[in-house]
Amino acid sequence: MIQNRWMIGLLVISLMPAILMSSRHTPWIVWVVPMVLIYVFSRQSQVKELPKEEAQEEIPNFCFSLIHNPEQSIGASRARWQTTLIRWRTAIIALPDGVLLLDQNFALCWFNPEARYLLGLDLKRDLGVPLTYRIEQPILDDYLVRGEFGKSIELPSPVNGGLMLNFRFVLLEKENCWLVLVRDITEQYQLDRRHRDFIANISHELKTPVTVFRGLLEILPDLPHDSQQWENAVSLLQKQADRMQSLIEDQTTLLRLGPANHDYPPEFMDMHAFLREKVAEAEVLSGTLGHDFIVTVDRTFGFLANPVLLQCVVGNLLSNAVNHTHAQTEVRVVWNRDEIGRPTLIVSDNGPGIASYHLPRLTEKYYRVMFHQGSDYHGTGLGLSLVKEAMERCCGKLEIVSQPGVGSRFVCRFPTAMATEPEQ
């Protein structure tokens, strides 16, 4: 077919000079027209010889084929690819999450600005360095060794311990590298922690009221119904029930608003009556252990505080004194001012005391003292942490002094501004 067209084309070209010479055209057209026809026929033959895939591509119009450059299509493709890559790179850089690119050995190849902020990375220093060198966490090492990449892993930021980060590893099989997505989950993590603290705090705080309930219920059947002891027991049960209700409501408020946003309005406190009431509860908690409580109150000044916080402080210190000392221990409760006029609460005992190396960690949540015999104090290790948190909300300070074989002293110093004139 192509050969026939070539023969027809040559025949036309051979006849064209005679036809054109017989007319009045200028001689230069005699040579230009055959050349154009030859080029057109050659281009058409090339199109027919192309494979089907290439024939589907757009062929330039033959009118502009003289200025067409075959390399222009390649350049256009490269330009499109460069534009696409620039757009992808811009999108990854603008992501609010960190993005890391690691090689098969988990060494850093590239990261976006958010990852640099979350992990404290540096382009000149960290490229080519394994990720485990910049995040020195045994949990991450075990995670990479186990290869459980179907699950994400949560780790604190190596440059800001207050940030909790979620890492997810994605294998790019064709490129033989890893894509790591790093997300800041601090807010969600704190919310989950407040949920856990809520359950732990409620469990801890309800132990004392439940113990009081059990102690009173054991003696109520033996008391005459019309006696003063019966009325006192029923009154104390009612107070403990009210306390349990207030504890649940307050902890629910803390859970909803968060620790930093909870408002505690101050009220005038009758410290003599308040401490006597708390000591009465501690005596019931002591039961047959027979702790000896001694209360000293300075009535020369008034005190403005929130009852919830103050109850948390005094209640936990007294329950600790009962639970963590031997029977017949002397427990002193002193309320006065220190040398610079700050309202001060002191709860001391002559119990077994605590070794000095335990003292810095006593206010940590869930920390409990271990003895050489292998036994430990009863409880969950939340009492002193709650006291410390309550004192911080009051802008106060908790001090702990203890010595084995001598006893312990817990000093709560409140701001001077909380002291007022005594109520008339």
Side-chain angles (χ1 to χ4, degrees):
M1 184 69 179
I2 296 175
Q3 293 180 353
N4 293 336
R5 289 191 175 184
W6 269 103
M7 292 179 64
I8 296 173
L10 291 175
L11 180 60
V12 172
I13 292 172
S14 62
L15 295 176
M16 282 300 296
I19 297 172
L20 293 174
M21 288 298 294
S22 62
S23 64
R24 296 182 179 181
H25 291 283
T26 55
W28 64 271
I29 296 181
V30 175
W31 304 105
V32 171
V33 173
M35 292 175 63
V36 172
L37 293 175
I38 292 174
Y39 182 80
V40 170
F41 278 107
S42 64
R43 291 291 296 175
Q44 290 181 349
S45 63
Q46 291 177 5
V47 172
K48 293 299 181 180
E49 293 175 357
L50 288 175
K52 292 183 179 181
E53 293 80 1
E54 298 182 7
Q56 293 176 355
E57 295 183 1
E58 182 181 358
I59 303 299
N61 192 313
F62 74 90
C63 295
F64 303 97
S65 60
L66 290 174
I67 59 174
H68 173 69
N69 185 358
E71 295 182 356
Q72 288 181 350
S73 59
I74 299 176
S77 298
R78 289 178 178 174
R80 287 194 299 271
W81 273 107
Q82 290 178 354
T83 302
T84 303
L85 289 175
I86 291 173
R87 290 176 178 174
W88 276 105
R89 180 184 176 89
T90 303
I92 294 176
I93 290 176
L95 281 176
D97 298 333
V99 179
L100 306 173
L101 189 63
L102 311 180
D103 62 14
Q104 64 272 20
N105 297 319
F106 302 105
L108 290 163
C109 299
W110 183 84
F111 48 84
N112 68 345
E114 185 66 16
R116 181 186 310 173
Y117 162 73
L118 295 174
L119 303 177
L121 301 177
D122 183 81
L123 284 173
K124 296 181 179 179
R125 180 193 65 191
D126 296 326
L127 288 183
V129 176
L131 181 62
T132 52
Y133 285 13
R134 291 292 166 255
I135 306 177
E136 299 179 358
Q137 291 284 347
I139 300 177
L140 178 60
D141 297 336
D142 296 340
Y143 177 82
L144 297 179
V145 171
R146 291 194 306 267
E148 298 178 353
F149 301 113
K151 302 177 181 179
S152 60
I153 181 174
E154 297 178 0
L155 298 171
S157 169
V159 292
N160 185 355
L163 297 180
M164 183 59 64
L165 308 177
N166 178 276
F167 293 77
R168 179 170 293 276
F169 287 73
V170 179
L171 177 62
L172 306 179
E173 297 182 357
K174 293 184 178 180
E175 289 74 16
N176 194 24
C177 61
W178 293 92
L179 181 69
V180 183
L181 305 178
V182 184
R183 174 168 296 181
D184 184 358
I185 59 169
T186 304
E187 184 176 354
Q188 182 62 41
Y189 178 80
Q190 291 178 347
L191 180 61
D192 294 340
R193 187 176 64 178
R194 288 200 293 271
H195 277 85
R196 294 192 298 268
D197 290 347
F198 168 75
I199 300 300
N201 293 346
I202 285 294
S203 301
H204 175 79
E205 291 287 354
L206 293 183
K207 287 174 58 180
T208 299
V210 170
T211 304
V212 173
F213 285 164
R214 294 182 61 183
L216 292 176
L217 289 174
E218 289 178 359
I219 64 174
L220 277 178
D222 300 330
L223 297 176
H225 289 194
D226 56 350
S227 66
Q228 185 64 35
Q229 291 179 325
W230 176 275
E231 294 180 2
N232 292 339
V234 172
S235 175
L236 188 56
L237 286 173
Q238 183 61 45
K239 290 181 180 179
Q240 292 298 323
D242 294 340
R243 180 188 175 193
M244 293 172 65
Q245 180 66 28
S246 64
L247 283 173
I248 294 174
E249 292 176 354
D250 185 64
Q251 290 292 335
T252 303
T253 304
L254 285 173
L255 180 65
R256 183 176 65 252
L257 299 180
N261 300 326
H262 195 35
D263 185 23
Y264 290 94
E267 300 177 10
F268 185 87
M269 300 292 300
D270 183 350
M271 292 303 294
H272 182 265
F274 177 78
L275 291 177
R276 289 291 180 184
E277 179 184 348
K278 302 309 295 181
V279 167
E281 296 176 4
E283 288 175 343
V284 175
L285 182 64
S286 175
T288 58
L289 296 177
H291 290 83
D292 185 16
F293 293 89
I294 302 174
V295 182
T296 304
V297 178
D298 183 357
R299 300 190 182 184
T300 61
F301 66 98
F303 187 60
L304 287 176
N306 180 270
V308 175
L309 295 179
L310 197 60
Q311 187 166 254
C312 177
V313 172
V314 179
N316 279 288
L317 290 179
L318 290 177
S319 63
N320 281 353
V322 172
N323 293 328
H324 302 163
T325 60
H326 304 308
Q328 309 300 322
T329 299
E330 183 180 274
V331 179
R332 290 183 173 271
V333 180
V334 179
W335 173 254
N336 59 15
R337 286 189 176 188
D338 63 10
E339 60 278 1
I340 61 174
R342 292 178 296 185
T344 304
L345 173 70
I346 303 175
V347 178
S348 59
D349 61 68
N350 59 353
I354 306 170
S356 58
Y357 57 85
H358 287 297
L359 298 183
R361 300 192 60 189
L362 279 182
T363 56
E364 293 182 9
K365 288 186 176 180
Y366 309 110
Y367 183 79
R368 296 189 295 179
V369 177
M370 300 295 295
F371 292 108
H372 296 293
Q373 292 82 358
S375 61
D376 63 337
Y377 283 150
H378 300 290
T380 60
L382 284 172
L384 289 178
S385 66
L386 293 175
V387 173
K388 180 183 178 181
E389 181 179 350
M391 290 301 299
E392 289 176 349
R393 292 176 183 274
C394 296
C395 298
K397 182 180 180 182
L398 171 64
E399 300 174 3
I400 304 175
V401 181
S402 186
Q403 184 177 351
V406 177
S408 304
R409 186 170 74 254
F410 301 88
V411 183
C412 300
R413 303 188 189 275
F414 297 88
T416 307
M418 298 179 70
T420 64
E421 294 294 328
E423 192 176 48
Q424 301 298 331

